[in-house]
Amino acid sequence: MTHKPTTIAIVANTPVLFNQAHNTMLRHLIDGMLHHGLQVQLICPHTQEEDHRYHPGLICVTPSHMMASSKKKLSLSPIAWLADYWAQNPPDAVYISSPSFMGWQVTRLASRLAIQTVTGFFDLTIPSHFNCVKHIANHLVLPWFNSKSKYSLVNSIHHARQFQSLRLKRLAILSHGVDSKRFAPCYRSTELRQQWQAGRHDLVFLYTGPLDQAHNAELALRTFRIIKDHFPSKQHKMLCIGSGKQAEHLKHRFPGITYINHVPASQLPKIYASADILLQPNKQGLLGNTVIEAMASGVVVVGFKRGAVAQHVQNHVSGLSISLNGGWVDEETFIDRVLALCDRPDKIASIKRNARYTALRQDWQYVTQQFIHLLLSPAPYTSKTQIQPSPL
């Protein structure tokens, strides 16, 4: 008797590009599940021909493919075709990557077939001011998906608490992972630091992100200028990667900094590992890859206690996590903390080691295991709103 592999159906709103140039969370999770021997049914708007040959365990299903097949089956609608397909090839669980019309249809079908569903709320935010579309989404769409899902996934404690305000239940945290082999301290390059004119005992500061007011890039650059004035005998350097509305203004106001508009993804591991301190003064709490990739590279991350910093950085242990003063950015505290750190090379070395150790626990291998556990574990019983910690 042939053993049927565990099958996960994934509904994606946008195409999942299976090439090395794209480094998305969903792509990593799919790769991880295939590596663990699971079969993946990918339901998304469009796939390329080579996607069908990407892995024997990957089955790509698109609406166009459903429609083409439906014509041979008395003009079934795409969702009816999927119901017919699942009758013969039922998945063990369904993951809706983000609420959408297609996700709504598939969730209803899964509910009718008694297949457990998990929904991702990763790209959603709670607006601080009234917005009609967001209001409808937050008070109608999200609660509906949450009520039909075994878990609703968010990527930080901060976002989980935001969604708690909507009285959503069964929230589980699944943070963004990192490729700890690709981002590692071993890629530190003396040659690259020499190009930056940084000596062995000098510090290289790094800012990466948009150069605009919303991301508070000016505070990072101003902090470095104060550090240069405070340590005139040192040859500390700063690298600023990014572009934006304030780029020309900042370049004129803060000379002596190396500005780079864009860096190829292949060069990022060496740049991160060759730097010492990443300044992230953004108060919005974004959850991109930068923080965890820098930590995996053995870099000290300094930022406000929001988003990825709040999620991954333990203050004075694996970085500097600075609390916001009633939601306001305390710029003087940010600058003072960095200044104090520059006077403690022993503490910098200790934080670098702890940052790497913290990032190892967020390797994609472990994040994928958490994801699989959330999909296949028994449905929890909850009588009230709660946040489910990540398993494992």
Side-chain angles (χ1 to χ4, degrees), residues 110-271:
S111 179
R112 192 166 73 242
L113 299 177
I115 302 173
Q116 293 191 123
T117 303
V118 172
T119 305
F121 287 174
F122 293 117
D123 300 325
L124 306 172
T125 58
I126 308 296
S128 57
H129 57 279
F130 181 79
N131 179 293
C132 182
V133 175
K134 287 285 186 180
H135 182 81
I136 293 174
N138 291 340
H139 293 276
L140 293 177
V141 178
L142 300 190
W144 186 88
F145 276 96
N146 180 251
S147 68
K148 299 295 182 181
S149 301
K150 178 173 64 173
Y151 288 113
S152 297
L153 304 186
V154 296
N155 46 20
S156 74
I157 295 173
H158 172 69
H159 284 159
R161 287 171 178 164
Q162 282 189 315
F163 285 116
Q164 270 192 315
S165 66
L166 301 177
R167 299 184 179 181
L168 302 187
K169 299 180 180 181
R170 300 180 301 278
L171 297 170
I173 299 169
L174 189 75
S175 299
H176 200 284
V178 63
D179 186 342
S180 59
K181 293 182 179 178
R182 180 169 177 247
F183 292 92
C186 63
Y187 294 111
R188 191 174 179 87
S189 170
T190 301
E191 180 182 355
L192 186 58
R193 288 176 61 87
Q194 288 174 349
Q195 292 179 15
W196 298 336
Q197 298 181 346
R200 180 180 178 183
H201 300 291
D202 296 324
L203 297 174
V204 173
F205 292 80
L206 181 65
Y207 170 84
T208 175
L211 300 180
D212 55 30
Q213 189 173 4
H215 289 79
N216 212 10
E218 183 176 349
L219 177 56
L221 305 184
R222 182 152 54 88
T223 299
F224 176 71
R225 184 170 65 182
I226 293 173
I227 289 169
K228 288 284 288 182
D229 294 340
H230 197 79
F231 299 97
S233 61
K234 297 288 186 179
Q235 296 298 315
H236 297 326
K237 303 297 179 182
M238 183 165 186
L239 193 67
C240 182
I241 302 174
S243 59
K245 297 179 179 179
Q246 289 188 313
E248 293 304 318
H249 167 72
L250 294 175
K251 289 178 183 179
H252 177 76
R253 185 177 176 187
F254 300 100
I257 293 174
T258 301
Y259 293 91
I260 303 176
N261 289 338
H262 174 72
V263 170
S266 59
Q267 296 180 15
L268 280 177
K270 184 181 289 188
I271 290 176

